[in-house]
Structure formats: structure tokens, C-alpha cells
Amino acid sequence: MKIFHRFFLWAFVLCLLTEPLTLYAQDTSYTLSDSSDGYYEGFSTYEEAYEGFELHKDEHENLLLKEDDKVLAMEYGIVEFRSDESCSLILEYDSLTKDETDYLSGCYGIDALYLGTDRDLEVSFQMAGDIGRIDIDDVTLIPLNDLNRRITSYAVKDGKLLHNIRTQNELDFYSYSLILDEAPEGLKEGQTLYSFDGHYFYDDLMYLTDDLKNETHEHALNEEAYYNYFQYLPYRSYSAYDPEDLATYFNDTLGVKGRLDHYADHDGDKAADTIDLSQLYDNTDEFFVTESLFGANALMQAASAIHESSYGRSLDSYERNDLYDLAVYESEEENETKRYSSIADSIYSHACYYISSRFADHRRSDYKGTFFGDKAGGINVDYSIDPYYGEKCASICYKIDESLGGKDRDRYATALIKDQDLLIFYRDEELTRRYFTLSDVSELHLIVLSQTETSYKLRIDQSYSDGYFYDPSFCVAYLPKERVFAVFNEDKIKEEDFDAITLDLDEGTYHGLSNITVFEDAKDAVRPHKEGYEFLGFDENGKAAYRKIEKIELIDTSRNRMLQEDRIDLRDLSLKVFYEDGTSRNIDLNTDMVKINEEEGLLEIGYEGLTLEKKIVYSDKLQKQYETLTAAVNEKDASKIKKNLAGLYYPLSFSEIREYDSVLREKNKRNYVLLDKDPDHDLSISGLDLSLDDKMSLSLMADTYYAIVEPIKEEDKDTVYDLAKGYDFALEDGFDISFRFNYQSIGLRGPAIVQLAVKDMKKDAIYSVYHLDSEGNILKCRTTRTKNYVQFLIEEEGPYVLLRLDGANDYDMQDSPEVLSYENMGFDKHRTNFELMGTLVIVLTGLIGITLYYIIYNERKRMWKDFRRSLQQAGTVQDEVPKN
């Protein structure tokens, strides 16, 4: 019996000791599941779970392998990349298409097509034509059946192919909706189309995934692969347009009327708010000169500059004369200051040192062709971490070309060469003399000039010039036809003739060159420099003409005061140029003429070799005011913020304006009236207590502040819309906003928010407000929208125009009430009191009139009696009772 008890005791103790081990061994943190059929199974290790996933995945619709709640593998789904708010996080991945390391940022494209997870927890995906592999810690996997948000996709609208791109997780919105091209055959409007290579399109992600894994396109909606013409056109092509055409597009279609003379970005889109000013103004000729010299297509150069510099309004373009965010400088001075001497220098550097030198040199390891491309091939591979850079530039090319008449689209025949381990190019069409070889070509596009039965004559990318100049007649090679995957626009195969002229710069220089040879069409676009002289043009023989400058004088009408944080403002500065022949003229300063000497505190001004200096004066008073304002914002002291707003710009958010305005309204107890002749606007405003001065009348009448919305003048509306339609905006409404205290006009000293309802508001439209300011410039206002309203920031009174751009998002954000509305405004005390006073005056006037009437009547009656009495006394008349 004792033996039995001892045995039972030892067994019990052993059970207690081994139970934790048994529980640990049965840990099921790794699971396989399929919600569609209820399948579920747990595993203790990833290796066991992965084996089970591989074994059972074909038995289920979408089998998931999870560690706790994190998806590690699935059959069908989307990859979302890690990103940060500052867009500084760059992710590294292995490109399986190119067999090299590449990089991307989720800020430019957040999602990709999931293709698989391997044993080492490396996730395979497809994005922008490339198939890559990335560490699972850099991504989130979302199964198709859990996908409750939009993903990057395509659509057809009005016969155009659109690419809708997501770049963030916070909102279920597309950040871009690019118009790429005419829609390819097989694609219909109303469909959500999926493609992660931009060539084959599907209406079902499962079909797309299966086809990609099976290396087929059986379920694609288009039978033949689509290649966007401008996205795959080599830079070694030539635009059909001339300098005047492109200048017309900028000046007339986009409404650009001058160079940027100041920089203010109140709407936070990283571009100057002044829409009708651009650093590209009067510089578009340079695209055609560099096209002629370096074989860099002028339209493609312009499109890249527009994309990189936000139409020539970026901060880099203003402060550093840099349109491309690049840094290859020709002079030591430029290298020291990290600033191009002129906008033309930036264009020249891009064409010479990036297109013709770097990306066209097939001897370099980063040579992928000179077409825009994507992440599988082209400049996009190494030029940008944005996987859709090539598409964005191609979209701009398409837009410009369509506006100018469509002469560039499909102008060239191009050859597609792909998946080649070794390519041999030949000097002769008989393919007997080797020229050069290329290894590991994933994708390449070249211009086709002619063909024989066995070969294509191609324009190659290499320049073979020490100065990277490009001779299109010399830079040709032959390739066997069997090495070409496809030829596009085969009917456009043709040789080209180029008429060139050598220019006599007459002791002048062009970017350091004392003589240049350009195509005849580009002759008048060349602008040489000769120290102390102003260039006038070339004569019929190509010789430069100049006139001598005697001196220059600075015309300064500025207040000569600024904050240390401010950018140089050139609006009140100009030059008077005196010539040797006795004439003179005034010219506006631009960023080509100025540079800042921070050590000396000087603005150095130069024009054709003549120089001036202007002392930069920083205002201690303004600096203290700005610091006080900053402290007041940090302390949320509304009264102190209001006191220090005048004369300064401070980037208050919409919520801050509402918050501070509410505090001040409660304190001030002002009486407001909104006057709007269109009640459908459902007008409301925040910021008036914050941004209107406190006023008090000397009269006994009650005071009233008025916010007035009136119809806009037709000429003002036309001025704004003529510019806005160049950016594809439709006109919605126009109005003039002003403010009054009693019957005295007053202006804003700070920002205010205007909110209004839009008639027939479209849920998927993007709304923007442009303002024609007091200087005659057109400003883009900070604009947001909710489900039912548009809100925009105003900083001065005047004409505003509401514009609409059709989009691809549904804007369902909650409405935000403003501080002042029709419901909580006061009644018009000033007008009421004025009307009461007017009524009183009328009544008093009437009483006085009646009194005067009776006084006069009685006096006339008395006079009549006296007259009758005198007649009676004279015996002239008999007595009678006078009639009333």
C-alpha cells in the first residue's frame, strides 16, 4: 500500500514538473487559416507552419500563415511598405528583374502586388514593372479578403488611361491620378483595372497573381502589351516643336507672365503660391539648345523640370536656380555655394552631365537606357526612388503635346530589347564588324532608323564625345532582328536629316564655350554672354550682335527690412541699365542676377559682368515680434497672437485659427453680420476676431462688423480662369470678399478661413481656390474640403475663384463648423439704428413741415382779413364772409 502511495506521489510530482513543458510544446503562435472555409491549424514553429502552408495552400481559396496577428505568408494579397511622415525612410530591396539592389520609398508608392514569402521571411512583390524581394519587417501583408481600402490601380475616363496611385495609409485616398495616354484597346470605362507593370491590365487581382506566377497573360484584358509612348521614348529623340511653341505653352496655356521674385508657400505644397510666376519663364529656349548639343529631347527635359520643380516654383529653383534637384556644377564658385548661377545653367548641366554623360553611357554599371522608364529599366531605375517618376514625366509630356497639337506622340519607331544576357551591336548592316556589347539587359528601348531583312539600324545612346556632345548621324549601330523583342510604330521607321550651323559668338561665350554648332532651328535660342555687353541676337550669317553697357544702377523702393528666416524678396528691386549709345532701360531683377553673401550680409547683384552690392538689413523689431508670436502660439495665448500678427506671416493651422478665434470672440463680444447675395453658399468664417483690428465708433450708434461676399467682376474671373484651365480646372464660382466696420472698409491683418457650400458638389472632385491679389498676381490658397463644404484660407480682401478638378477619391470627411455662421451671427444693429434714426428724422421733418404749413396758412388768412378790411374802409367792396 505504501509502495502504491509512493508511486502515486512521484507520478503526481512528475506530472507537475512536466506540465509546463507540455504547455510550451503546444504553443500555437503560428497558425494557418482560411476564413472562407473555416480552416484553422496551429503550429509551434515557423518551419512547421511554413511546411504546412506549402503543403495545403492549393487546397484553399486564400490560405494565410500568421504569427499571432501578423500575416507572414498568403496566396493572394497586397504588400504595403513602411514609410514615415518626413519621407526620409528609404527601403532597400533585391531586384530580381535586374539582379541588383534597388531602393524605394513608400511616400511615392505605398503598395505592390504580393507574390510570395520564402523560408527566410523574404517577401516577393511586383511594383512599377520590377519584381523584388524585401525583408518582411519592412512590409505589411494584407490578404485580399481583408482588403478594405483602395489600392493603386488604373481606370479609363473619357477615353484616357489614368493611373491612380496611393502613397499613404492614414486616409483611403489616391494621392495622384495621372492621365497617361489614350486608353489601349480592351480597356473600358467604369472598370477598376489592376496592373503592376503598366503593360497588362486585369479586373481581378487573383487572375493577375496567377498569370504572373505562371508567366502568362491569359486573363489580361488587353491582348498585346501596352507601352506608354512617352514613358519609353529614348532621350536620343528630337521634338517636333520649336522654342516658340514651348514658350507659348508656358506663357499662354499656363498663364506664366514672369520669373519668381519672392517665395511664399502658405498652402504647404512645397511650391510658391504665386501660380503665374515661374523660374521657367523666358528659359524654355535652353531646352532646345541643349537638345541640339547633347541629344536630350527638349519636351522630355521640360517635362522632367516641370515635375521636379513644380512648374518652376519649388524652393530649390528659387534659392539655388536648380530645376532638377541635382548637383553637378561647372564653376568653382557654383560648387562652393551649391547654387547654379542661372536657371539656364541648371538645364545645361542636366542635359550634359546627367542625360548625355551618365545615363547614356553604356559603359557605366547604372546604364539602363535613356527612356524615362520604370523600376525595370530606364532612367527611373537609378535617377529616382519614386517608382512612378517615369510615368509622371511621361504624363506631363502627353499633356504638353496634346495642348500643342499632338505632333510628338508616336513620332518615332522604337525597338524593345529585353531579357538578354549578351547583346552584340555592329557597325554595318551585314553584321560583320563588332561595335560594342551589352551584358544583362533587362529592358532597353532604342530609336529605329531603318531595317534590312536581317537587321535594324538603331540610334544608340552613347555620345562618344569628350564633351558629351551628341551627333545623331554618327551614333548608330546595327542589331540582328532576332534580338529585338518588339518594334512599336513600325510605320514610322525613318532616317532624319539635320541642318546645322556654326555660330560666331564674337568674343562671347556660351556656358564657357567660345564657339558652338547647333541645329538651324535652335540658332535663335542660343544666348551667349560677353562681359560688359548685352546680347541682341544673331544676324543671318550666325554672327552675334551686342551693345555695350556703360553702367548699371539699383532702383530700390523696398523698406529694406527683413527677418533672418525670410527669403530674399526681389519685388521692390530693379536695375536701370545705361548703354554707351545714351539710351537706358529698367529691368526687373531675377535670381540669375543675385546671390547672397551671408558672411558680409550683402546681396550681390550682377548683370553681364557689371556688379553692385546691397546691404541686407535685418530688423530687430520684426525679429522680436516674430519670437513673441512664436512664444504666444506655444502658450496658446490668443490675445498675444492677435497683437503680434500684423505684418508677419505665421503658419497657423486651420484648427489653430478656429481655436484662437473662438477664445477671442468669447472675450470681445463683437457684433458680426454676414452679407452674401447667394444664400446657397451657406457661408461661415473663422479668424475675424483674430485678424480684424478692434474698432470703436465715436457715435452713439451700435457697432457692427461686416463680412461681405459679392459677385466677382467678369474681367477678374476671366483672368484667373484663363490660367486655371491650363491645369485642367473647371470653373465653379467666383466672388469678391471684403470687410467693413459700420460703413468703413477695413482689411485683414492675419489669416481667416472661409467655408462655403458648393452647388451640386461632386464627392470625388478636388476643389481649389485661386486669388487675384492686390499686385495683380494669382495665388493658390490653402484649400481643403469635407463632405459638404470647401474651406480656404484668405489673407486679404478681393476676388477669389473656386475651381474644380475631377478626381478619383470619395471625400467623406466630417464637416468642421466655423466660428461665425448665419446661425450665430448678430443682427445688423448699425443698419437698424441708422434706419431708426432715419425714420425719426423723417417724422420730425414731417412734424416741422405740418407746423410750418399751419403757421403760413394762418398768416395768409390774417393778411387776407386785413386786406379785406382796408378795402371795406375805402368803400370799394361790401361786407361778406370770406370763404375758406
Side-chain angles (χ1 to χ4, degrees), residues 228-282:
N228 182 327
Y229 177 76
F230 287 112
Q231 189 177 351
Y232 296 96
L233 175 68
Y235 255 110
R236 296 317 199 182
S237 54
Y238 295 88
S239 175
Y241 300 109
D242 59 33
E244 187 176 344
D245 292 326
L246 198 56
T248 297
Y249 176 76
F250 273 92
N251 301 346
D252 295 348
T253 304
L254 299 184
V256 177
K257 66 179 185 182
R259 289 279 296 272
L260 274 183
D261 51 17
H262 67 290
Y263 185 89
D265 178 19
H266 296 177
D267 67 345
D269 66 350
K270 299 182 180 179
D273 297 332
T274 316
I275 301 294
D276 55 352
L277 301 180
S278 168
Q279 294 291 70
L280 285 163
Y281 179 80
D282 206 26

Coordinates of all heavy atoms in Angstrom, one line a residue, residues 228-282:
N228 N 3.5 52.8 -72.9 CA 3.3 54.3 -73.0 C 4.3 54.9 -73.8 O 5.5 54.8 -73.5 CB 3.2 54.9 -71.5 CG 2.9 56.3 -71.5 OD1 3.3 57.1 -72.4 ND2 2.3 56.8 -70.4
Y229 N 4.0 55.6 -74.9 CA 4.9 56.1 -75.8 C 6.0 57.0 -75.2 O 7.2 56.8 -75.3 CB 4.2 56.9 -77.0 CG 5.2 57.5 -77.9 CD1 5.9 56.8 -78.9 CD2 5.5 58.9 -77.9 CE1 6.8 57.3 -79.8 CE2 6.4 59.5 -78.8 CZ 7.0 58.7 -79.7 OH 7.9 59.3 -80.6
F230 N 5.5 58.0 -74.4 CA 6.5 59.0 -73.9 C 7.3 58.4 -72.7 O 8.4 58.8 -72.4 CB 5.8 60.2 -73.4 CG 5.3 61.1 -74.5 CD1 3.9 61.3 -74.7 CD2 6.2 61.8 -75.3 CE1 3.5 62.1 -75.8 CE2 5.8 62.6 -76.3 CZ 4.4 62.8 -76.6
Q231 N 6.7 57.4 -72.0 CA 7.5 56.7 -71.0 C 8.7 55.9 -71.5 O 9.7 55.7 -70.8 CB 6.5 55.8 -70.1 CG 7.1 55.3 -68.8 CD 6.1 54.5 -68.0 OE1 4.9 54.5 -68.4 NE2 6.6 53.8 -67.0
Y232 N 8.5 55.4 -72.7 CA 9.6 54.5 -73.3 C 10.3 55.1 -74.5 O 11.0 54.4 -75.2 CB 9.0 53.1 -73.6 CG 8.5 52.5 -72.3 CD1 7.2 52.5 -71.9 CD2 9.4 51.8 -71.5 CE1 6.8 52.0 -70.7 CE2 9.0 51.2 -70.3 CZ 7.7 51.3 -69.9 OH 7.3 50.8 -68.7
L233 N 10.1 56.4 -74.7 CA 10.8 57.1 -75.8 C 12.2 57.5 -75.3 O 12.3 58.1 -74.2 CB 10.0 58.4 -76.1 CG 10.7 59.3 -77.2 CD1 10.7 58.6 -78.6 CD2 9.9 60.6 -77.3
P234 N 13.2 57.1 -76.0 CA 14.6 57.5 -75.6 C 14.8 59.0 -75.6 O 14.2 59.7 -76.5 CB 15.5 56.8 -76.6 CG 14.7 55.7 -77.1 CD 13.3 56.2 -77.1
Y235 N 15.6 59.5 -74.7 CA 16.0 60.9 -74.8 C 16.7 61.2 -76.1 O 16.7 62.4 -76.5 CB 17.0 61.2 -73.6 CG 16.3 62.0 -72.5 CD1 16.1 61.4 -71.3 CD2 16.0 63.3 -72.6 CE1 15.6 62.1 -70.2 CE2 15.4 64.1 -71.6 CZ 15.2 63.4 -70.4 OH 14.7 64.1 -69.3
R236 N 17.3 60.3 -76.8 CA 18.0 60.5 -78.0 C 17.0 60.6 -79.2 O 17.2 60.1 -80.3 CB 19.0 59.3 -78.3 CG 20.1 59.1 -77.3 CD 20.7 60.4 -76.9 NE 22.1 60.1 -76.3 CZ 22.8 61.1 -75.8 NH1 22.4 62.4 -75.8 NH2 24.0 60.8 -75.3
S237 N 16.0 61.4 -79.0 CA 15.0 61.7 -80.0 C 14.9 63.2 -80.0 O 15.4 63.9 -79.1 CB 13.6 61.1 -79.6 OG 13.2 61.4 -78.3
Y238 N 14.2 63.8 -81.0 CA 14.1 65.2 -81.2 C 12.6 65.6 -81.3 O 11.9 65.0 -82.0 CB 14.9 65.6 -82.4 CG 16.4 65.3 -82.2 CD1 16.9 64.1 -82.6 CD2 17.2 66.3 -81.6 CE1 18.2 63.8 -82.4 CE2 18.6 66.0 -81.5 CZ 19.1 64.8 -81.8 OH 20.4 64.5 -81.6
S239 N 12.3 66.7 -80.5 CA 10.9 67.1 -80.5 C 10.5 67.8 -81.9 O 11.4 68.4 -82.5 CB 10.7 68.1 -79.4 OG 9.4 68.7 -79.4
A240 N 9.3 67.6 -82.2 CA 8.8 68.3 -83.5 C 8.5 69.8 -83.2 O 8.2 70.5 -84.2 CB 7.5 67.6 -84.0
Y241 N 8.5 70.2 -81.9 CA 8.2 71.6 -81.6 C 9.4 72.5 -81.6 O 10.6 72.0 -81.7 CB 7.5 71.7 -80.3 CG 6.2 70.9 -80.2 CD1 6.1 69.7 -79.5 CD2 5.1 71.3 -80.9 CE1 5.0 68.9 -79.5 CE2 3.9 70.5 -80.9 CZ 3.9 69.3 -80.2 OH 2.7 68.6 -80.2
D242 N 9.2 73.8 -81.6 CA 10.3 74.7 -81.6 C 10.2 75.6 -80.3 O 9.3 75.5 -79.6 CB 10.4 75.6 -82.9 CG 9.1 76.4 -83.1 OD1 8.5 76.8 -82.1 OD2 8.7 76.6 -84.2
P243 N 11.3 76.4 -80.1 CA 11.2 77.2 -78.9 C 10.0 78.1 -78.7 O 9.5 78.2 -77.6 CB 12.5 78.1 -79.0 CG 13.4 77.2 -79.9 CD 12.5 76.5 -80.8
E244 N 9.5 78.6 -79.8 CA 8.3 79.5 -79.7 C 7.1 78.7 -79.2 O 6.3 79.2 -78.5 CB 8.0 80.1 -81.0 CG 6.9 81.1 -81.0 CD 6.7 81.8 -82.3 OE1 7.6 81.7 -83.2 OE2 5.7 82.5 -82.5
D245 N 7.0 77.4 -79.7 CA 5.8 76.6 -79.3 C 5.8 76.4 -77.8 O 4.8 76.5 -77.1 CB 5.9 75.2 -79.9 CG 5.7 75.3 -81.4 OD1 4.9 76.1 -81.9 OD2 6.3 74.5 -82.2
L246 N 7.0 76.0 -77.2 CA 7.0 75.7 -75.8 C 6.8 77.0 -74.9 O 6.2 77.0 -73.9 CB 8.4 75.1 -75.4 CG 8.4 74.3 -74.1 CD1 7.3 73.3 -74.0 CD2 9.8 73.7 -73.9
A247 N 7.4 78.1 -75.4 CA 7.2 79.4 -74.8 C 5.7 79.7 -74.8 O 5.1 80.3 -73.8 CB 8.0 80.5 -75.4
T248 N 5.0 79.5 -75.9 CA 3.6 79.7 -76.0 C 2.8 78.9 -75.0 O 1.9 79.4 -74.3 CB 3.1 79.4 -77.4 OG1 3.7 80.3 -78.3 CG2 1.6 79.6 -77.5
Y249 N 3.2 77.6 -74.8 CA 2.5 76.8 -73.8 C 2.7 77.4 -72.4 O 1.7 77.4 -71.7 CB 3.1 75.4 -73.9 CG 2.6 74.4 -72.8 CD1 1.3 73.9 -73.0 CD2 3.3 74.2 -71.6 CE1 0.7 73.1 -72.0 CE2 2.7 73.3 -70.7 CZ 1.5 72.8 -70.8 OH 0.9 72.0 -69.9
F250 N 3.9 77.8 -72.0 CA 4.1 78.3 -70.7 C 3.4 79.7 -70.5 O 2.7 79.9 -69.5 CB 5.6 78.5 -70.4 CG 6.2 77.2 -69.8 CD1 6.7 76.3 -70.7 CD2 6.2 76.9 -68.5 CE1 7.3 75.1 -70.2 CE2 6.7 75.8 -68.0 CZ 7.3 74.9 -68.8
N251 N 3.5 80.5 -71.5 CA 3.0 81.9 -71.3 C 1.5 82.0 -71.5 O 0.8 82.7 -70.8 CB 3.7 82.8 -72.3 CG 5.2 82.8 -72.1 OD1 5.7 82.4 -71.1 ND2 6.0 83.4 -73.1
D252 N 1.0 81.3 -72.5 CA -0.4 81.4 -72.8 C -1.3 80.3 -72.1 O -2.3 80.6 -71.5 CB -0.6 81.3 -74.3 CG 0.0 82.5 -75.1 OD1 0.4 83.5 -74.4 OD2 0.1 82.5 -76.3
T253 N -0.9 79.1 -72.3 CA -1.7 78.0 -71.7 C -1.6 78.0 -70.2 O -2.7 77.8 -69.5 CB -1.3 76.6 -72.3 OG1 -1.3 76.7 -73.7 CG2 -2.2 75.5 -71.8
L254 N -0.4 78.1 -69.7 CA -0.3 78.1 -68.2 C -0.3 79.5 -67.6 O -0.3 79.6 -66.4 CB 1.0 77.4 -67.8 CG 1.2 75.9 -68.3 CD1 2.5 75.4 -67.7 CD2 0.0 75.1 -67.8
G255 N -0.4 80.5 -68.4 CA -0.6 81.9 -67.9 C 0.6 82.4 -67.1 O 0.5 83.3 -66.3
V256 N 1.8 81.9 -67.4 CA 3.0 82.4 -66.8 C 3.4 83.7 -67.4 O 3.6 83.9 -68.6 CB 4.2 81.4 -66.9 CG1 5.5 81.9 -66.2 CG2 3.8 80.1 -66.2
K257 N 3.6 84.7 -66.5 CA 3.9 86.1 -67.0 C 5.2 86.6 -66.5 O 5.6 87.8 -66.9 CB 2.8 87.0 -66.6 CG 2.7 87.3 -65.1 CD 1.6 88.3 -64.8 CE 1.6 88.6 -63.3 NZ 0.5 89.5 -62.9
G258 N 6.0 85.9 -65.8 CA 7.3 86.4 -65.3 C 8.0 85.4 -64.4 O 7.5 84.3 -64.1
R259 N 9.2 85.8 -64.0 CA 10.1 85.0 -63.1 C 9.6 85.1 -61.7 O 9.0 86.2 -61.3 CB 11.5 85.4 -63.2 CG 12.2 85.0 -64.5 CD 12.7 83.6 -64.5 NE 13.7 83.3 -63.5 CZ 15.0 83.5 -63.7 NH1 15.5 83.9 -64.9 NH2 15.9 83.2 -62.7
L260 N 9.8 84.1 -60.8 CA 9.6 84.3 -59.4 C 10.4 85.4 -58.8 O 11.6 85.4 -59.0 CB 9.9 83.0 -58.7 CG 8.9 81.8 -58.6 CD1 9.5 80.7 -57.8 CD2 7.6 82.3 -58.0
D261 N 9.8 86.3 -58.1 CA 10.5 87.4 -57.5 C 10.4 87.4 -55.9 O 11.0 88.2 -55.3 CB 10.0 88.8 -58.0 CG 8.5 88.9 -57.9 OD1 7.9 88.2 -57.2 OD2 8.0 89.9 -58.6
H262 N 9.7 86.4 -55.4 CA 9.6 86.1 -54.0 C 9.1 84.7 -53.8 O 8.6 84.1 -54.7 CB 8.7 87.1 -53.3 CG 7.3 87.0 -53.6 ND1 6.8 87.3 -54.9 CD2 6.2 86.5 -52.9 CE1 5.5 87.1 -54.9 NE2 5.1 86.6 -53.7
Y263 N 9.3 84.2 -52.6 CA 8.8 82.8 -52.3 C 8.0 82.7 -51.1 O 8.4 83.1 -50.0 CB 10.0 81.9 -52.2 CG 9.6 80.4 -52.0 CD1 9.5 79.6 -53.2 CD2 9.4 79.8 -50.8 CE1 9.1 78.3 -53.1 CE2 9.0 78.5 -50.7 CZ 8.9 77.7 -51.8 OH 8.5 76.4 -51.7
A264 N 6.8 82.3 -51.2 CA 5.9 82.1 -50.1 C 5.0 80.9 -50.4 O 4.4 80.7 -51.4 CB 5.0 83.3 -49.9
D265 N 5.1 79.9 -49.4 CA 4.3 78.7 -49.6 C 3.3 78.5 -48.4 O 3.6 77.7 -47.5 CB 5.3 77.5 -49.6 CG 4.6 76.1 -49.8 OD1 3.4 76.1 -50.2 OD2 5.2 75.1 -49.4
H266 N 2.2 79.3 -48.5 CA 1.3 79.3 -47.4 C 0.4 78.0 -47.4 O -0.2 77.7 -46.4 CB 0.4 80.5 -47.5 CG 1.2 81.8 -47.3 ND1 0.6 83.0 -47.3 CD2 2.5 82.0 -46.9 CE1 1.5 83.9 -47.1 NE2 2.7 83.3 -46.9
D267 N 0.2 77.4 -48.6 CA -0.6 76.2 -48.6 C 0.2 74.9 -48.4 O -0.4 73.8 -48.4 CB -1.4 76.1 -49.9 CG -0.5 75.9 -51.1 OD1 0.8 76.0 -51.0 OD2 -1.0 75.5 -52.2
G268 N 1.5 75.0 -48.2 CA 2.3 73.8 -47.8 C 2.5 72.8 -48.8 O 2.7 71.6 -48.5
D269 N 2.4 73.1 -50.1 CA 2.5 72.1 -51.1 C 4.0 72.1 -51.7 O 4.2 71.5 -52.7 CB 1.5 72.3 -52.3 CG 1.8 73.6 -53.1 OD1 2.6 74.4 -52.6 OD2 1.1 73.8 -54.1
K270 N 4.9 72.7 -51.0 CA 6.3 72.8 -51.4 C 6.5 73.5 -52.7 O 7.5 73.1 -53.5 CB 6.9 71.4 -51.4 CG 6.9 70.7 -50.0 CD 7.5 69.3 -50.1 CE 7.4 68.7 -48.7 NZ 8.1 67.3 -48.6
A271 N 5.7 74.4 -53.0 CA 5.9 75.3 -54.2 C 5.3 76.6 -53.9 O 4.4 76.8 -53.1 CB 5.1 74.7 -55.4
A272 N 5.9 77.7 -54.5 CA 5.5 79.0 -54.3 C 4.0 79.2 -54.7 O 3.5 78.6 -55.6 CB 6.3 80.0 -55.1
D273 N 3.3 80.0 -53.9 CA 1.8 80.1 -54.1 C 1.5 80.9 -55.3 O 0.4 80.9 -55.8 CB 1.2 80.9 -52.9 CG 1.4 80.1 -51.6 OD1 1.4 78.9 -51.7 OD2 1.4 80.7 -50.5
T274 N 2.5 81.7 -55.8 CA 2.2 82.6 -57.0 C 2.2 81.7 -58.3 O 3.2 81.4 -58.8 CB 3.3 83.7 -57.1 OG1 3.5 84.2 -55.8 CG2 2.8 84.8 -58.0
I275 N 1.0 81.4 -58.7 CA 0.8 80.5 -59.8 C 1.3 81.1 -61.2 O 1.7 80.3 -62.1 CB -0.7 80.1 -60.0 CG1 -1.1 79.4 -58.7 CG2 -0.9 79.1 -61.1 CD1 -0.5 78.1 -58.3
D276 N 1.2 82.4 -61.3 CA 1.5 83.0 -62.7 C 3.0 83.4 -62.8 O 3.3 84.1 -63.7 CB 0.6 84.2 -63.0 CG 0.6 85.2 -61.9 OD1 1.2 85.0 -60.8 OD2 0.0 86.3 -62.1
L277 N 3.8 83.0 -61.8 CA 5.3 83.3 -61.9 C 6.0 81.9 -61.9 O 5.6 81.0 -61.2 CB 5.7 84.2 -60.8 CG 5.1 85.6 -60.6 CD1 5.7 86.3 -59.5 CD2 5.3 86.4 -61.9
S278 N 7.1 81.8 -62.6 CA 7.8 80.6 -62.7 C 9.3 80.8 -63.1 O 9.5 81.7 -63.9 CB 7.2 79.6 -63.7 OG 8.0 78.5 -64.1
Q279 N 10.2 80.0 -62.6 CA 11.6 80.1 -63.0 C 11.8 79.7 -64.4 O 12.9 79.9 -65.0 CB 12.4 79.3 -62.0 CG 12.5 79.9 -60.6 CD 13.2 81.2 -60.5 OE1 12.7 82.2 -60.9 NE2 14.4 81.2 -59.9
L280 N 10.8 79.0 -64.9 CA 10.9 78.6 -66.3 C 10.6 79.7 -67.3 O 10.9 79.5 -68.5 CB 10.0 77.4 -66.6 CG 10.5 76.0 -66.0 CD1 9.4 75.0 -65.9 CD2 11.7 75.5 -66.8
Y281 N 10.0 80.8 -66.9 CA 9.7 81.9 -67.7 C 10.9 82.4 -68.4 O 12.0 82.7 -67.8 CB 9.0 83.0 -67.0 CG 8.6 84.2 -67.8 CD1 7.5 84.1 -68.6 CD2 9.4 85.3 -67.9 CE1 7.1 85.2 -69.4 CE2 9.1 86.4 -68.6 CZ 7.9 86.3 -69.4 OH 7.6 87.4 -70.2
D282 N 10.9 82.5 -69.8 CA 12.0 83.1 -70.6 C 13.2 82.2 -70.5 O 14.3 82.6 -70.9 CB 12.3 84.5 -70.1 CG 12.9 85.3 -71.2 OD1 12.7 85.0 -72.4 OD2 13.7 86.2 -71.0

